[in-house]
Amino acid sequence: MGAGVWIWILLGLPTLFAGWCLVLRAPRQVLILVGVGGAAWGMVAGIAAWRLLGAGSATAAYGWLHVDALSAYHLLLLGLVQGASSVYAWGYFRSEVATGGLTAGQTRRFGGLWFGAAAAMSLVLLSNNLGLMWVGIEATTLLTAFLICLHVSPLSLEATWKYLVVCSVGVAFAFVGTLLVGASAQHLGLDPSEMLLWTRLRASAPHLAAGFMKLAFLFMLVGYGTKAGLAPLHSWLPDAHSQAPAPVSALFSGFMLNAAFYCVLRVLPLVEAATGDRGWGRDLLTALGLVSILVAAAFIVFQRDGKRLLAYSSVEHLGVIALGVGVG
């Protein structure tokens, strides 16, 4: 099987499962599909990541989809988290379905959104086009928001709207940053269809307009940093964690935050090369990482709610990652 075929399998399989969940009638059937299908897709993602790591890189869709070592490593983590969370969700909701606490419509909605979110996160990792990567992040926001309020209550609705508003504003900043990346490459003579391809930009990174790239990185760090839960942009995370069902919280902490930070990792080498490798972008990550660690630590000390404690722990962990990347 060609390496490029794995890319289409990784995108197509969760999309197929999402549609399948929406047409199943019995809630128990949906939960079985979530558990078995999620575990199967997780295994496929792991195998694909391993094969793609061995192949070095793979490309599809005329270069708009691309996998290298960084994306393959993240795919391996996504498969592990999604697969394990899917199996846990099967048991987690089984008693609610048996007692009527989760209706058939709610179960179908959960299954469709669950696999839809997996497809969206896969798109983020497989996108070579920075605009398409942004679309994947925005899709994860829209799909996972309604998983937070699977059990409708005033608190869960408030958490959902907070998540939608804060993350949508953040992703709008990232969109502006994406446009600025394109502006920084205008003088390179690239074909318009290739102006946002990461592989093209990476090859020409020293020649990108430094001023535009600095501004682009600032916008994208704020935008994707909001979705990643970096302080002081983390306000949505504790509420979403505390109201979301446990498998959804696991997916948030286990991978979705990392998927947003992955976007920052993609832009960082571009801005570093454009600014002469002086550590301009890394210094910003170091500062934001330190702020996240300190803010999260202050809240963790006084936090008594278990799920909110895990949310602040996620903020702290992303801060550690940002700090580590920042210091090289």
Side-chain angles (χ1 to χ4, degrees):
M1 186 184 296
V5 176
W6 286 106
I7 295 177
W8 294 113
I9 292 175
L10 289 167
L11 289 173
L13 201 57
T15 305
L16 175 65
F17 286 156
W20 194 357
C21 285
L22 295 177
V23 298
L24 290 175
R25 303 299 299 174
R28 183 172 175 274
Q29 293 175 332
V30 177
L31 290 182
I32 291 174
L33 179 57
V34 167
V36 176
W41 183 83
M43 292 178 61
V44 169
I47 294 169
W50 187 259
R51 293 287 299 273
L52 292 168
L53 276 170
S57 65
T59 303
Y62 304 101
W64 280 48
L65 300 175
H66 179 78
V67 179
D68 58 13
L70 179 65
S71 47
Y73 173 72
H74 278 77
L75 277 169
L76 191 63
L77 295 178
L78 174 58
L80 177 63
V81 172
Q82 183 80 22
S85 299
S86 296
V87 173
Y88 180 68
W90 181 7
Y92 180 86
F93 290 115
R94 190 165 50 188
S95 60
E96 291 190 40
V97 168
T99 59
L102 201 67
T103 66
Q106 288 175 310
T107 311
R108 285 195 294 270
R109 186 168 75 244
F110 171 79
L113 293 173
W114 182 257
F115 284 117
M121 286 185 284
S122 300
L123 180 62
V124 172
L125 303 180
L126 297 171
S127 295
N128 189 31
N129 185 290
L130 297 184
L132 191 60
M133 184 177 73
W134 176 87
V135 169
I137 286 291
E138 177 66 6
T140 63
T141 301
L142 298 175
L143 290 166
T144 56
F146 298 99
L147 290 173
I148 296 172
C149 62
L150 185 66
H151 297 104
V152 178
S153 69
L155 288 177
S156 67
L157 288 175
E158 180 185 352
T160 299
W161 279 112
K162 191 172 185 178
Y163 171 63
L164 276 173
V165 171
V166 174
C167 288
S168 293
V169 171
V171 174
F173 271 80
F175 179 70
V176 175
T178 304
L179 296 180
L180 288 168
V181 171
S184 73
Q186 277 190 325
H187 64 285
L188 297 179
L190 297 175
D191 187 271
S193 64
E194 300 179 343
M195 196 168 289
L196 287 177
L197 294 186
W198 186 86
T199 47
R200 293 286 189 180
L201 293 169
R202 185 71 183 95
S204 306
H207 308 293
L208 296 173
F212 276 121
M213 275 307 303
K214 285 183 176 182
L215 196 57
F217 187 71
L218 284 172
F219 271 96
M220 296 175 92
L221 184 57
V222 170
Y224 292 129
T226 300
K227 188 66 184 287
L230 290 170
L233 313 166
H234 67 290
S235 60
W236 63 271
L237 188 55
D239 290 339
H241 253 287
S242 63
Q243 296 304 315
V248 179
S249 294
L251 187 63
F252 275 10
S253 283
F255 194 79
M256 195 185 71
L257 305 183
N258 305 61
F261 193 77
Y262 166 88
C263 299
V264 177
L265 295 180
R266 278 296 178 201
V267 183
L268 182 62
L270 303 181
V271 70
E272 285 298 311
T275 55
D277 289 310
R278 297 187 181 92
W280 186 86
R282 292 197 301 271
D283 288 344
L284 289 176
L285 280 176
T286 300
L288 203 56
L290 286 171
V291 170
S292 296
I293 293 170
L294 293 173
V295 169
F299 279 97
I300 285 171
V301 170
F302 301 103
Q303 190 56 243
R304 295 296 177 265
D305 182 276
K307 294 182 76 174
R308 293 181 73 88
L309 180 67
L310 290 173
Y312 286 115
S313 176
S314 296
V315 175
E316 184 263 344
H317 289 162
L318 264 295
V320 172
I321 294 171
L323 178 61
V325 173
V327 300

